Amino acid sequence: MDVPSMNGGVKHGLPPVARADARLLLLGSLPGEASLAAARYYAHPRNGFWRLMEQVTGVALDALPYDERIERLGERRVALWDVVHAARREGSLDGQMRAIEMRDLAAFVAGLPELRAIGFNGGTAARLGRRALGGAGLRLVDLPSSSPAYTLPLADKAARWASLAAFLD
């Protein structure tokens, strides 16, 4: 099991959040400082992930405690993980990652037989994830980053993220 770490500039990601019946897998790059410190996905209060996923799932997530958010995503058959297992990085920006160690995404995806699509949360996740997955035979969806560092207005991000709802029906 992966354990978050911030030792010596090397960051290790969080374990996957997934049920075997997941239909949609959302992949980020590598959790930022706030998420690693809290050992929770999308923990930075300005990250729009939970608000975006409210629109995708039709479930009010943002006001719920973290464990309930995760439970509700699982009920809607949504899984979370990241493409990077570990990297050297000062701060939270993807552009600062060095010595990147990738996850075995193909093996992980093979263990999700009902998976319909993979959404990449941001450009780095899409670039690295597409390379790691090759021809996975699934619908791959590039999404604007939910990070506050990506300054596209949340409403514009939501319009792009809304397409994910089709994979949950």
Side-chain angles (χ1 to χ4, degrees):
M1 174 153 121
D2 296 319
V3 177
S5 172
M6 294 185 279
N7 298 338
V10 175
K11 311 295 193 306
H12 289 84
L14 302 171
V17 173
R19 295 182 355 178
D21 66 348
R23 289 186 177 172
L24 173 64
L25 171 61
L26 295 172
L27 293 171
S29 54
L30 180 68
E33 296 290 327
S35 293
L36 291 174
R40 297 177 175 192
Y41 283 98
Y42 305 103
H44 192 288
R46 289 185 35 230
N47 192 298
F49 179 81
W50 297 107
R51 291 183 302 278
L52 292 166
M53 288 308 295
E54 282 185 354
Q55 295 182 27
V56 172
T57 63
V59 177
L61 297 166
D62 197 40
L64 295 175
Y66 180 77
D67 291 342
E68 289 182 40
R69 291 177 184 182
I70 295 301
E71 185 177 328
R72 297 298 177 276
L73 284 185
E75 290 168 356
R76 293 292 292 142
R77 302 173 77 177
V78 177
L80 302 176
W81 210 21
D82 290 299
V83 299
V84 175
H85 169 69
R88 290 195 171 282
R89 182 183 70 198
E90 295 301 325
S92 296
L93 298 177
D94 287 351
Q96 298 298 313
M97 286 192 292
R98 304 288 182 265
I100 294 171
E101 181 182 334
M102 294 293 296
R103 303 232 187 241
D104 187 351
L105 296 177
F108 182 70
V109 165
L112 301 173
E114 296 185 42
L115 196 63
R116 296 178 175 178
I118 298 171
F120 297 108
N121 187 356
T124 300
R127 180 175 47 82
L128 296 175
R130 283 178 175 276
R131 188 179 316 145
L133 287 165
L138 295 164
R139 178 77 188 273
L140 304 179
V141 181
D142 296 359
L143 302 163
S145 176
S146 64
S147 169
Y150 187 68
T151 59
L152 187 68
L154 191 64
D156 293 342
K157 292 178 184 183
R160 298 264 307 277
W161 281 64
S163 67
L164 300 176
F167 301 109
L168 301 179
D169 296 330

